[in-house]
Amino acid sequence: MDHAESGAEQISGLAPEGFSLDVRLWNISKAKSKTRPYQLRWLVGGKVSSKTFATVTLAGSRRSELWLAMKRGEAFRIEDGLPESEVRAAMRAAAAANTREELSWFTFCREYMAMRWPTAAAKTREGIADGLAAVTLAMVEQDKRMPAVEELRLALRWAVVPANAELEPPAELEEAHHWLVKRSLFVSALEDPKTLRDIQYRLSFKLDGTPAAGETSRRRRRALNTAVEYAVERKLLRENPLIGLKKAKTSSSDRVDPRVLVNKTQAAQLLAAVSYVGTWDRKKGRRLVAFYAVMYFAALRPSEAVGLRKRDCYLPEMGWGTLTLRDTHPVSGKQWTDSGERHDKRGLKSREAKDDRPVPIPPPLVAMLRNHLKEFGTARDGRLFTNERLGLVGSSTYWRVWKDAREYALPPDLQASILGGRPYDLRHTCITTWLNAGVPVAEVARRVGNSPEVIHRVYEGCIYGQEEAMNWKIEKELGWSTD
C-alpha cells in the first residue's frame, strides 16, 4: 500500500486523552462473511479497528469519511477508532435525549386535558378532571397561606376545561387559580418518593380523611396513570413512577351492602308511593313509576332508563317481553359535554358503540310499560320517560321523587336507614334477586352489562339460601345422594 493510501503520514499536535493522531487506513479487503463480505480496517494508536459492509460501495463511502477526517487533522478515539467529530456528535445526541423539558403540573394538566377532550366522553372527561384535581393537592407548594383544598380542586377542575383557557376564573376561585398558576410543582416532582406517598394518599382518601370508594380510587389512579404515560411520551418524565407505587390499603369496599336491598313488599310499596309524589294533575311521580320499575325488574342503570325508546321495547299482551338497550345518557356537568347539556348520549357501558344488550322482562313489567305508554305516550324521539316538559329526566328529578316516595312508603326507622336509599339500589336488588334465584352468574352479567368478575366481587355478600342446594348437587355428582 502506498503512503497516501495507508494514511501513514503523521499529523502534528496533541490529541485529547484516549484519542490519537497516529492513524493508518488500509484498503478494502474481502471478509469471510457471506452477508457482509467487504471489510475495512484501520489502525489508531496501535489498536486495530474494523467494520464489515454488505457492498463495496458502502465500504468505500465509509473509508472516504475516515480519510477526510484524517485530512482535517482530527484525532481518533483509540477504543473504537471513531473520529473526534463523530464522538462529539454522538455525545450531543445522547445529551439531547436525556434532556427533558420542565413543565408545571398546572400547565401540564391543561395541556393533557386539551389533548384528551376531542375523543373522550363527558363522564370520562369529568373522571380525568377529578383524578387530576385529587393529585393536584400534592403537586402544589404547601404553605399556611394556601387556599382551602376544596377551592384548589374546584379551580383545577374549572381550569382544565379547554373552553375556559382564555377566560378569567370566577371570583370565588380567583385566589385558588392564582395559587395553582404560581405555586404548582414541576411534573418531575412525581419522581420524588415523598410526593408519591402524598399522591397515594390523595388517590385513596376523601378530603375529610375517610376512605374513598374502591371504584373512585381505581378511577383516579387510572386517570393519573394515563396522564403520566403522556408525560413520559412528552419527555417530562424518564419513566412512569407509578409502576412501583403500591395501592394504599383502605377499609373501603365496592361490595353491595345487603342493608340497601328492598324485599318484594317494600318494592311494591315504594313503587306505589312514587305515584303519589307531586300534584295529581301534573303527574310528576306517576310518569316515573315505570322508570323505577325497569331498574327493579330489569336491572337497568338510571342512565340507560333515561334513553329507553318505544322501538327498543317488545311488549306482548301476554308473557315475557324484551328491552333492547342501545345507548345510555349519563349525567355530567354541562361544562363536560360538547352539547352544553347535562346528558351525554353514549353507547352502552363497556361495549362497542354499535352493540346492543337485550334484557328479558317479566309480565308485570311488560304490563306496567304498556300502561305507561297508554297514559303518557312518548317524547318526539320515542323516549318512554320524560319530565313534565317532555325533556330528558334529570338526575335531580328522579332523586327528589325517590326521596319523597321513601317518606310515604317507609316507617321512620327505615327512612333513617340506608334501605333503598338511592334509585340505583333497585338495580342492586334486581341483580341480587336473580343470583339468589339461581340464574348463572354469566347470564346475570350479560343481562346487566357487567363482567362475571364484577358480579362476583360486588354481590359476594348478597347471595344466600343456596348452600343446601349446592351441597345436594355435589352429593348427587359424587353418588352420595339417596334421592
Side-chain angles (χ1 to χ4, degrees):
M1 66 187 75
D2 58 34
H3 184 72
E5 286 289 332
S6 68
E9 60 190 278
Q10 299 297 307
I11 306 174
S12 61
L14 297 175
E17 185 177 355
F19 287 73
S20 175
L21 291 169
D22 182 13
V23 183
R24 295 175 182 269
L25 180 62
W26 288 293
N27 285 326
I28 299 168
S29 61
K30 284 294 188 73
K32 294 181 180 180
S33 173
K34 292 182 178 180
T35 57
R36 302 172 68 88
Y38 300 97
Q39 185 180 53
L40 179 63
R41 300 172 68 244
W42 65 103
L43 188 71
V44 178
K47 182 179 180 180
V48 176
S49 294
S50 65
K51 188 173 183 180
T52 57
F53 299 88
T55 67
V56 69
T57 302
L58 292 174
S61 176
R62 181 54 177 160
R63 188 179 188 282
S64 296
E65 292 173 353
L66 297 178
W67 175 252
L68 290 174
M70 290 172 58
K71 296 292 287 182
R72 289 194 296 268
E74 286 189 37
F76 282 57
R77 188 160 62 184
I78 298 173
E79 177 186 359
D80 52 17
L82 294 180
E84 185 178 1
S85 59
E86 294 184 8
V87 173
R88 294 188 181 280
M91 291 174 64
R92 287 194 296 270
N98 290 327
T99 300
R100 62 183 178 188
E101 178 186 356
E102 288 286 16
L103 199 66
S104 77
W105 173 252
F106 176 76
T107 302
F108 169 76
C109 288
R110 300 185 76 171
E111 176 186 314
Y112 175 69
M113 182 61 87
M115 183 274 294
R116 290 292 307 276
W117 192 272
T119 57
K123 271 292 186 184
T124 302
R125 295 167 182 169
E126 189 173 11
I128 293 172
D130 176 67
L132 297 178
V135 173
T136 295
L137 303 181
M139 291 294 288
V140 294
E141 294 180 14
Q142 307 295 314
D143 192 286
K144 293 181 179 179
R145 298 167 297 169
M146 185 175 72
V149 290
E150 181 57 31
E151 292 178 4
L152 290 171
R153 282 173 54 91
L154 292 174
L156 192 283
R157 285 171 61 92
W158 179 88
V160 296
V161 177
N164 296 337
E166 303 300 327
L167 303 179
E168 292 295 325
E172 65 273 17
L173 298 178
E174 186 174 353
E175 182 182 357
H177 185 272
H178 180 76
W179 189 273
L180 291 175
V181 172
K182 299 295 184 181
R183 300 297 187 94
S184 284
L185 304 179
F186 287 128
V187 175
S188 57
L190 288 166
E191 297 174 343
D192 179 8
K194 182 179 178 181
T195 302
L196 273 182
R197 284 195 295 271
D198 194 6
I199 286 173
Q200 182 183 49
Y201 172 79
R202 303 292 182 179
L203 293 174
S204 304
F205 290 84
K206 301 177 185 178
L207 294 180
D208 61 4
T210 59
E215 180 55 34
T216 299
S217 178
R218 286 191 291 272
R219 185 183 68 244
R220 288 175 176 177
R221 189 181 177 102
R222 287 194 300 268
L224 176 60
N225 186 69
T226 308
V228 169
E229 289 292 343
Y230 176 68
V232 174
E233 181 184 327
R234 282 272 281 104
K235 300 190 185 304
L236 301 172
L237 295 169
R238 293 187 178 89
E239 60 184 8
N240 187 343
L242 300 181
I243 294 176
L245 183 64
K246 295 182 179 179
K247 297 179 181 178
K249 293 183 179 180
T250 69
S251 59
S252 177
S253 172
D254 289 335
R255 287 184 295 180
V256 169
D257 189 330
R259 294 176 298 170
V260 308
L261 307 176
V262 298
N263 60 36
K264 290 184 289 186
T265 301
Q266 292 164 341
Q269 292 171 339
L270 284 164
L271 292 177
V274 168
S275 66
Y276 290 97
V277 175
T279 58
W280 182 258
D281 56 335
R282 297 186 68 187
K283 306 176 182 178
K284 181 178 181 179
R286 286 172 57 202
R287 65 172 61 248
L288 290 180
V289 173
F291 176 83
Y292 298 110
V294 296
M295 300 182 212
Y296 176 70
F297 286 108
L300 266 63
R301 300 177 175 91
S303 59
E304 294 168 341
V306 166
L308 190 64
R309 288 175 168 77
K310 183 178 180 180
R311 64 179 173 84
D312 302 327
C313 305
Y314 170 61
L315 307 173
E317 292 186 6
M318 297 183 63
W320 283 64
T322 305
L323 302 181
T324 303
L325 307 181
R326 293 184 170 84
D327 55 42
T328 181
H329 290 70
V331 178
S332 301
K334 295 181 179 180
Q335 70 269 34
W336 308 112
T337 64
D338 293 324
S339 64
E341 301 293 333
R342 285 181 52 80
H343 289 83
D344 186 37
K345 184 178 179 180
R346 307 295 299 179
L348 296 176
K349 186 176 181 180
S350 303
R351 291 175 181 250
E352 296 294 331
K354 295 183 180 180
D355 286 355
D356 57 29
R357 189 177 89 238
V359 182
I361 57 174
L365 180 56
V366 173
M368 294 180 74
L369 290 174
R370 288 174 65 90
N371 290 334
H372 175 86
L373 285 169
K374 183 177 179 180
E375 181 174 3
F376 299 106
T378 67
R380 289 184 178 180
D381 60 358
R383 282 180 295 104
L384 267 66
F385 305 118
T386 66
N387 58 24
E388 292 161 300
R389 297 181 298 278
L390 302 184
L392 287 166
V393 179
S395 57
S396 59
T397 298
Y398 62 72
W399 269 87
R400 282 197 302 267
V401 171
W402 186 250
K403 179 178 178 294
D404 292 344
R406 288 184 81 250
E407 293 180 1
Y408 292 153
L410 303 178
D413 59 325
L414 292 182
Q415 289 180 34
S417 73
I418 61 174
L419 174 74
R422 307 173 305 159
Y424 207 99
D425 292 332
L426 294 173
R427 170 178 160 90
H428 289 323
T429 298
C430 180
I431 294 173
T432 302
T433 300
W434 290 347
L435 290 171
N436 285 309
V439 180
V441 171
E443 175 60 14
V444 173
R446 186 200 66 76
R447 294 188 184 198
V448 305
N450 282 126
S451 68
E453 293 76 16
V454 169
I455 298 296
H456 276 296
R457 185 183 76 244
V458 174
Y459 298 94
E460 178 183 5
C462 300
I463 304 175
Y464 56 87
Q466 296 191 34
E467 182 175 347
E468 184 176 343
M470 295 302 104
N471 290 345
W472 179 83
K473 288 184 177 182
I474 293 171
E475 290 180 0
K476 184 177 180 181
E477 180 66 25
L478 295 175
W480 298 344
S481 176
T482 58
D483 296 342

